[in-house]
Amino acid sequence: MAAIAVAQAASLTSRRVQGPKPSAGAARRVRPVRSAVVDVKSMATEKPWKTHDCRLVLEDGSVWSGLSFGAKGTAVGEVVFNTSLSGYQEILTDPSYAGQFVLFTCPEIGNVGINLEDMESTKAHMGGMLVRHLSLNVSNYRSAMSLPEYLEQQNVIGISEIDTRAITLRLRDTGCLNGVITTDATKTDDELIAMAKGWTIVGKDMISEVTCTEPYEWQDPTGTEWEFAAGAKASTKGSLHVVAYDFGVKHNIMRRLASYGCRITVVPASMPAAEVMAMEPDGILFSNGPGDPSAVPYAVENAKAILGEVPVFGICMGHQVLGQAFGGETFKLKFGHHGGNHPVRGPSGRVEISSQNHNFAVKPNSLPEEVEVSHINLNDGTCAGMVYREKRAMTIQYHPEASPGPHDSDPCFEDFVHMMKAAKREKAA
């Protein structure tokens, strides 16, 4: 019986598949088999991968096509290259990069995503991000989002799959170039070249775009798990009051000062010197910041009024502002210093590997003889630090907090603390 049932089921299936038999004598009609309609033209143009949808156009007329990530639109800025191998998040959120596109010589960017702890300010400041390869995967236990997600959130355009090595060599040969990044296919190359040629960072006050609008207090030191300096671990917290002029100050500069025992009041870049001195500071920090130092005469005048009253420390833009307050002049470098591997020789002959980010420098031969050039950049011999002993003033052209970068220059913060303590002892005597 089982065999009969199987045979009947097979017969029924066979009839369903084959359909009814033609009637006797009827001519067998053979219907042609029609294949699905295929649009050969669309198959030839559509690709299973993303095609170039973004352009970087430089003022020298060169055009570089690539893949967009982050925001869409059009942006103009000065193109600089950065040689750091890590810390793209800190670079991205460094206010000193306002008005600039940063080209990373490190070939892969984005592999550790974006976390919420390593921000150097409250937002991204660079105008555009230029990379060879955007990592397809994010692998970091602290990551909160991917790099493209963060750039889209911050309205920053990124471009990948461009020849970053060739562009770096071009910038080294010709100097910094203005450029335009766009995802707008309707704009012609000639329009974009004209846009790049019509823009400049020289003479622009970029500090006013990044400074705070009201004073605020900063007390957070470097986290215990990240602290590395014995002097910071042994410091008495809150023992010194530092007023920081915010030219675009990085969070880790303030963390390092707080780690060495300072209580910090951050003030807008344009706050008059008299109001700052009324806060009774033990010392004043002139912070890092973006743009042309000769375009901020109000900052220079404030520095002149403060010199000699209390110890002062200038970092990066602050170094350039104080250089002018000393009586010196600044000039624009060919392609600037941007990276975490710049050798600097200090007054004792010790060589530090430093983190740097600046396009301007102080002319040593323009300084009065009372001012000592204390640090020299060993790559090009430019002034990397100054000391004006009579005025209790010290400056460095690079980033001692080194985020990202090595910790060789961290003792600068301790030197500033010792200067403030010495001034307090003299005042009390």
Side-chain angles (χ1 to χ4, degrees):
M1 292 296 291
I4 294 172
V6 170
Q8 288 175 339
S11 175
L12 179 60
T13 301
S14 176
R15 287 198 299 272
R16 284 176 179 169
V17 173
Q18 294 175 0
K21 294 182 179 179
S23 58
R28 184 182 297 271
R29 297 176 182 175
V30 179
R31 296 181 179 179
V33 177
R34 296 182 179 179
S35 61
V37 177
V38 177
D39 187 344
V40 178
K41 185 177 180 181
S42 67
M43 286 187 66
T45 57
E46 292 180 7
K47 297 180 175 64
W49 57 83
K50 187 178 178 182
T51 57
H52 286 194
D53 61 347
C54 190
R55 285 171 292 164
L56 167 68
V57 178
L58 302 178
E59 63 177 307
D60 66 356
S62 60
V63 179
W64 311 79
S65 65
L67 303 179
S68 68
F69 63 99
K72 304 294 183 184
T74 301
V76 61
E78 181 182 50
V79 182
V80 300
F81 63 89
N82 188 297
T83 58
S84 294
L85 296 179
S86 64
Y88 62 79
Q89 177 174 332
E90 290 92 329
I91 295 167
L92 180 61
T93 55
D94 180 352
S96 296
Y97 281 112
Q100 294 179 323
F101 299 161
V102 180
L103 180 143
F104 289 84
T105 60
C106 181
E108 183 172 74
I109 297 294
N111 54 315
V112 294
I114 296 289
N115 67 72
L116 303 180
E117 294 82 30
D118 291 346
M119 303 292 183
E120 287 298 331
S121 65
T122 57
K123 68 174 192 174
H125 288 276
M126 71 169 66
M129 197 171 201
L130 320 178
V131 306
R132 176 67 186 92
H133 177 65
L134 176 68
S135 179
L136 300 178
N137 300 307
V138 174
S139 180
N140 186 274
Y141 73 100
R142 295 194 300 154
S143 178
M145 67 184 80
S146 70
L147 176 59
E149 288 172 335
Y150 181 69
L151 290 189
E152 184 175 10
Q153 180 189 102
Q154 295 292 309
N155 197 33
V156 175
I157 304 172
I159 181 172
S160 66
E161 301 305 320
I162 56 175
D163 191 342
T164 52
R165 179 178 292 182
I167 299 173
T168 299
L169 291 173
R170 185 176 294 254
L171 296 176
R172 282 184 61 88
D173 289 341
T174 65
C176 291
L177 293 168
N178 296 329
V180 178
I181 306 177
T182 186
T183 58
D184 186 350
T186 66
K187 294 184 182 295
T188 67
D189 292 345
D190 288 339
E191 288 177 320
L192 299 174
I193 292 169
M195 189 183 301
K197 287 182 175 179
W199 189 89
T200 181
I201 201 169
V202 177
K204 271 192 171 59
D205 175 7
M206 302 297 296
I207 289 176
S208 60
E209 298 183 16
V210 300
T211 189
C212 60
T213 56
E214 297 290 338
Y216 65 93
E217 300 292 319
W218 181 281
Q219 296 180 343
D220 297 337
T222 300
T224 305
E225 69 275 26
W226 304 110
E227 186 53 72
F228 55 89
K233 293 176 182 177
S235 64
T236 303
K237 306 307 177 188
S239 58
L240 296 166
H241 180 209
V242 173
V243 173
Y245 268 109
D246 179 13
F247 298 155
V249 66
K250 292 173 67 178
H251 287 174
N252 266 306
I253 289 176
M254 295 186 288
R255 289 191 185 107
R256 296 312 296 150
L257 282 171
S259 294
Y260 280 102
C262 300
R263 175 175 60 87
I264 304 150
T265 303
V266 185
V267 300
S270 59
M271 178 171 280
E275 293 183 28
V276 169
M277 292 305 299
M279 297 179 180
E280 299 184 348
D282 296 308
I284 293 176
L285 171 74
F286 293 86
S287 83
N288 64 291
D292 185 348
S294 68
V296 289
Y298 57 87
V300 176
E301 291 305 313
N302 281 332
K304 286 180 180 179
I306 289 168
L307 277 174
E309 298 295 326
V310 292
V312 298
F313 182 23
I315 296 175
C316 205
M317 172 61 77
H319 160 92
Q320 297 158 11
V321 166
L322 283 170
Q324 293 175 88
F326 295 162
E329 300 174 2
T330 60
F331 69 101
K332 195 173 191 296
L333 296 165
K334 183 177 180 180
F335 49 80
H337 302 153
H338 310 277
N341 56 353
H342 291 252
V344 171
R345 187 179 66 240
S348 66
R350 175 176 178 266
V351 175
E352 306 168 10
I353 302 303
S354 65
S355 178
Q356 303 206 9
N357 169 27
H358 58 99
N359 266 15
F360 293 82
V362 174
K363 293 180 181 179
N365 58 6
S366 69
L367 295 167
E369 59 182 31
E370 299 86 19
V371 178
E372 173 192 349
V373 175
S374 57
H375 294 71
I376 298 291
N377 186 305
L378 295 181
N379 283 339
D380 59 8
T382 52
C383 172
M386 300 175 291
V387 174
Y388 196 163
R389 300 188 189 281
E390 289 181 25
K391 303 292 186 182
R392 292 192 184 275
M394 58 177 285
T395 77
I396 54 172
Q397 178 62 92
Y398 47 97
H399 286 263
E401 85 292 347
S403 282
H407 297 154
D408 298 24
S409 307
D410 190 73
C412 289
F413 293 108
E414 195 166 15
D415 292 343
F416 182 44
V417 167
H418 290 160
M419 186 184 289
M420 288 188 286
K421 288 180 177 179
K424 284 188 75 171
R425 286 194 299 268
E426 285 186 14
K427 189 176 180 179

